[in-house]
PDB file of all heavy atoms in Angstrom:
ATOM      1  N   GLN Z   7     337.408 180.181 153.964  1.00 95.00           N
ATOM      2  CA  GLN Z   7     337.345 181.674 154.120  1.00 95.00           C
ATOM      3  C   GLN Z   7     337.110 182.354 152.762  1.00 95.00           C
ATOM      4  O   GLN Z   7     336.296 183.294 152.722  1.00 95.00           O
ATOM      5  CB  GLN Z   7     338.738 182.167 154.647  1.00 95.00           C
ATOM      6  CG  GLN Z   7     338.953 181.868 156.125  1.00 95.00           C
ATOM      7  CD  GLN Z   7     340.391 182.208 156.505  1.00 95.00           C
ATOM      8  OE1 GLN Z   7     341.036 183.016 155.835  1.00 95.00           O
ATOM      9  NE2 GLN Z   7     340.864 181.609 157.558  1.00 95.00           N
ATOM     10  N   ALA Z   8     337.744 181.868 151.724  1.00 96.00           N
ATOM     11  CA  ALA Z   8     337.561 182.470 150.402  1.00 96.00           C
ATOM     12  C   ALA Z   8     336.110 182.255 149.937  1.00 96.00           C
ATOM     13  O   ALA Z   8     335.469 183.133 149.417  1.00 96.00           O
ATOM     14  CB  ALA Z   8     338.547 181.886 149.421  1.00 96.00           C
ATOM     15  N   ASN Z   9     335.555 181.032 150.187  1.00 95.00           N
ATOM     16  CA  ASN Z   9     334.222 180.739 149.762  1.00 95.00           C
ATOM     17  C   ASN Z   9     333.180 181.578 150.533  1.00 95.00           C
ATOM     18  O   ASN Z   9     332.119 181.935 150.013  1.00 95.00           O
ATOM     19  CB  ASN Z   9     333.939 179.251 149.839  1.00 95.00           C
ATOM     20  CG  ASN Z   9     334.705 178.553 148.713  1.00 95.00           C
ATOM     21  OD1 ASN Z   9     335.002 179.133 147.676  1.00 95.00           O
ATOM     22  ND2 ASN Z   9     335.037 177.272 148.959  1.00 95.00           N
ATOM     23  N   THR Z  10     333.515 181.829 151.782  1.00 93.00           N
ATOM     24  CA  THR Z  10     332.627 182.693 152.597  1.00 93.00           C
ATOM     25  C   THR Z  10     332.514 184.023 151.921  1.00 93.00           C
ATOM     26  O   THR Z  10     331.412 184.635 151.764  1.00 93.00           O
ATOM     27  CB  THR Z  10     333.113 182.802 154.039  1.00 93.00           C
ATOM     28  OG1 THR Z  10     333.309 181.468 154.527  1.00 93.00           O
ATOM     29  CG2 THR Z  10     332.124 183.573 154.922  1.00 93.00           C
ATOM     30  N   ILE Z  11     333.645 184.552 151.475  1.00 92.00           N
ATOM     31  CA  ILE Z  11     333.636 185.889 150.835  1.00 92.00           C
ATOM     32  C   ILE Z  11     332.835 185.793 149.531  1.00 92.00           C
ATOM     33  O   ILE Z  11     332.022 186.721 149.228  1.00 92.00           O
ATOM     34  CB  ILE Z  11     335.111 186.333 150.562  1.00 92.00           C
ATOM     35  CG1 ILE Z  11     335.684 186.732 151.896  1.00 92.00           C
ATOM     36  CG2 ILE Z  11     335.183 187.438 149.519  1.00 92.00           C
ATOM     37  CD1 ILE Z  11     337.074 187.273 151.815  1.00 92.00           C
ATOM     38  N   LEU Z  12     333.008 184.678 148.813  1.00 90.00           N
ATOM     39  CA  LEU Z  12     332.233 184.533 147.553  1.00 90.00           C
ATOM     40  C   LEU Z  12     330.709 184.599 147.835  1.00 90.00           C
ATOM     41  O   LEU Z  12     329.974 185.266 147.108  1.00 90.00           O
ATOM     42  CB  LEU Z  12     332.484 183.170 146.947  1.00 90.00           C
ATOM     43  CG  LEU Z  12     333.584 182.954 145.905  1.00 90.00           C
ATOM     44  CD1 LEU Z  12     333.468 181.534 145.387  1.00 90.00           C
ATOM     45  CD2 LEU Z  12     333.432 183.949 144.777  1.00 90.00           C
ATOM     46  N   ASN Z  13     330.315 183.889 148.910  1.00 86.00           N
ATOM     47  CA  ASN Z  13     328.893 183.806 149.172  1.00 86.00           C
ATOM     48  C   ASN Z  13     328.314 185.073 149.729  1.00 86.00           C
ATOM     49  O   ASN Z  13     327.114 185.368 149.553  1.00 86.00           O
ATOM     50  CB  ASN Z  13     328.589 182.628 150.127  1.00 86.00           C
ATOM     51  CG  ASN Z  13     328.983 181.306 149.469  1.00 86.00           C
ATOM     52  OD1 ASN Z  13     328.908 181.223 148.243  1.00 86.00           O
ATOM     53  ND2 ASN Z  13     329.433 180.348 150.251  1.00 86.00           N
ATOM     54  N   GLN Z  14     329.153 185.863 150.362  1.00 85.00           N
ATOM     55  CA  GLN Z  14     328.668 187.112 150.965  1.00 85.00           C
ATOM     56  C   GLN Z  14     328.568 188.236 149.929  1.00 85.00           C
ATOM     57  O   GLN Z  14     327.842 189.179 150.126  1.00 85.00           O
ATOM     58  CB  GLN Z  14     329.623 187.645 152.066  1.00 85.00           C
ATOM     59  CG  GLN Z  14     329.442 186.967 153.371  1.00 85.00           C
ATOM     60  CD  GLN Z  14     330.652 187.262 154.254  1.00 85.00           C
ATOM     61  OE1 GLN Z  14     331.610 187.882 153.860  1.00 85.00           O
ATOM     62  NE2 GLN Z  14     330.527 186.879 155.529  1.00 85.00           N
ATOM     63  N   ALA Z  15     329.350 188.075 148.888  1.00 71.00           N
ATOM     64  CA  ALA Z  15     329.478 189.220 147.934  1.00 71.00           C
ATOM     65  C   ALA Z  15     328.144 189.643 147.441  1.00 71.00           C
ATOM     66  O   ALA Z  15     327.327 188.783 146.984  1.00 71.00           O
ATOM     67  CB  ALA Z  15     330.389 188.827 146.767  1.00 71.00           C
ATOM     68  N   ASN Z  16     327.885 190.860 147.532  1.00 65.00           N
ATOM     69  CA  ASN Z  16     326.596 191.412 147.105  1.00 65.00           C
ATOM     70  C   ASN Z  16     326.860 192.727 146.409  1.00 65.00           C
ATOM     71  O   ASN Z  16     327.508 193.602 146.941  1.00 65.00           O
ATOM     72  CB  ASN Z  16     325.838 191.747 148.417  1.00 65.00           C
ATOM     73  CG  ASN Z  16     324.405 191.323 148.320  1.00 65.00           C
ATOM     74  OD1 ASN Z  16     323.886 191.254 147.167  1.00 65.00           O
ATOM     75  ND2 ASN Z  16     323.797 191.061 149.463  1.00 65.00           N
ATOM     76  N   ASP Z  17     326.435 192.828 145.186  1.00 59.00           N
ATOM     77  CA  ASP Z  17     326.690 194.086 144.466  1.00 59.00           C
ATOM     78  C   ASP Z  17     325.949 195.242 145.186  1.00 59.00           C
ATOM     79  O   ASP Z  17     324.725 195.170 145.368  1.00 59.00           O
ATOM     80  CB  ASP Z  17     326.114 194.034 143.037  1.00 59.00           C
ATOM     81  CG  ASP Z  17     327.027 193.153 142.175  1.00 59.00           C
ATOM     82  OD1 ASP Z  17     328.066 192.743 142.644  1.00 59.00           O
ATOM     83  OD2 ASP Z  17     326.648 192.960 140.992  1.00 59.00           O
ATOM     84  N   SER Z  18     326.706 196.235 145.535  1.00 61.00           N
ATOM     85  CA  SER Z  18     326.061 197.401 146.210  1.00 61.00           C
ATOM     86  C   SER Z  18     325.544 198.312 145.105  1.00 61.00           C
ATOM     87  O   SER Z  18     326.231 198.531 144.126  1.00 61.00           O
ATOM     88  CB  SER Z  18     326.958 198.080 147.189  1.00 61.00           C
ATOM     89  OG  SER Z  18     327.953 198.776 146.451  1.00 61.00           O
ATOM     90  N   ASP Z  19     324.366 198.842 145.303  1.00 64.00           N
ATOM     91  CA  ASP Z  19     323.717 199.676 144.295  1.00 64.00           C
ATOM     92  C   ASP Z  19     324.501 200.972 144.005  1.00 64.00           C
ATOM     93  O   ASP Z  19     324.410 201.531 142.921  1.00 64.00           O
ATOM     94  CB  ASP Z  19     322.343 200.066 144.725  1.00 64.00           C
ATOM     95  CG  ASP Z  19     321.438 198.822 144.754  1.00 64.00           C
ATOM     96  OD1 ASP Z  19     321.839 197.853 144.087  1.00 64.00           O
ATOM     97  OD2 ASP Z  19     320.450 198.865 145.461  1.00 64.00           O
ATOM     98  N   ASP Z  20     325.253 201.453 144.943  1.00 85.00           N
ATOM     99  CA  ASP Z  20     325.880 202.739 144.739  1.00 85.00           C
ATOM    100  C   ASP Z  20     327.245 202.573 144.008  1.00 85.00           C
ATOM    101  O   ASP Z  20     327.965 203.563 143.855  1.00 85.00           O
ATOM    102  CB  ASP Z  20     326.080 203.494 146.067  1.00 85.00           C
ATOM    103  CG  ASP Z  20     327.013 202.762 147.002  1.00 85.00           C
ATOM    104  OD1 ASP Z  20     327.338 201.562 146.663  1.00 85.00           O
ATOM    105  OD2 ASP Z  20     327.413 203.329 148.026  1.00 85.00           O
ATOM    106  N   ASP Z  21     327.590 201.387 143.575  1.00 93.00           N
ATOM    107  CA  ASP Z  21     328.865 201.198 142.873  1.00 93.00           C
ATOM    108  C   ASP Z  21     328.609 201.240 141.397  1.00 93.00           C
ATOM    109  O   ASP Z  21     328.426 200.206 140.734  1.00 93.00           O
ATOM    110  CB  ASP Z  21     329.484 199.856 143.307  1.00 93.00           C
ATOM    111  CG  ASP Z  21     330.840 199.604 142.717  1.00 93.00           C
ATOM    112  OD1 ASP Z  21     331.273 200.462 141.931  1.00 93.00           O
ATOM    113  OD2 ASP Z  21     331.425 198.566 143.006  1.00 93.00           O
ATOM    114  N   HIS Z  22     328.681 202.416 140.774  1.00 95.00           N
ATOM    115  CA  HIS Z  22     328.382 202.478 139.349  1.00 95.00           C
ATOM    116  C   HIS Z  22     329.620 202.192 138.499  1.00 95.00           C
ATOM    117  O   HIS Z  22     329.577 202.331 137.318  1.00 95.00           O
ATOM    118  CB  HIS Z  22     327.734 203.839 138.998  1.00 95.00           C
ATOM    119  CG  HIS Z  22     328.660 204.982 139.148  1.00 95.00           C
ATOM    120  ND1 HIS Z  22     328.718 205.746 140.304  1.00 95.00           N
ATOM    121  CD2 HIS Z  22     329.567 205.532 138.338  1.00 95.00           C
ATOM    122  CE1 HIS Z  22     329.625 206.683 140.139  1.00 95.00           C
ATOM    123  NE2 HIS Z  22     330.147 206.584 138.965  1.00 95.00           N
ATOM    124  N   TRP Z  23     330.715 201.804 139.137  1.00 97.00           N
ATOM    125  CA  TRP Z  23     331.927 201.369 138.347  1.00 97.00           C
ATOM    126  C   TRP Z  23     331.962 199.874 138.187  1.00 97.00           C
ATOM    127  O   TRP Z  23     332.846 199.354 137.579  1.00 97.00           O
ATOM    128  CB  TRP Z  23     333.175 201.870 139.049  1.00 97.00           C
ATOM    129  CG  TRP Z  23     333.343 203.312 139.001  1.00 97.00           C
ATOM    130  CD1 TRP Z  23     333.025 204.134 137.927  1.00 97.00           C
ATOM    131  CD2 TRP Z  23     333.868 204.198 140.000  1.00 97.00           C
ATOM    132  NE1 TRP Z  23     333.342 205.443 138.239  1.00 97.00           N
ATOM    133  CE2 TRP Z  23     333.874 205.481 139.530  1.00 97.00           C
ATOM    134  CE3 TRP Z  23     334.386 203.970 141.300  1.00 97.00           C
ATOM    135  CZ2 TRP Z  23     334.320 206.560 140.256  1.00 97.00           C
ATOM    136  CZ3 TRP Z  23     334.818 205.004 142.027  1.00 97.00           C
ATOM    137  CH2 TRP Z  23     334.798 206.346 141.529  1.00 97.00           C
TER     138      TRP Z  23
END
Side-chain angles (χ1 to χ4, degrees):
Q7 285 171 24
N9 289 333
T10 306
I11 287 185
L12 267 187
N13 297 330
Q14 279 167 352
N16 222 335
D17 284 355
S18 71
D19 292 339
D20 63 349
D21 183 358
H22 67 266
W23 291 321

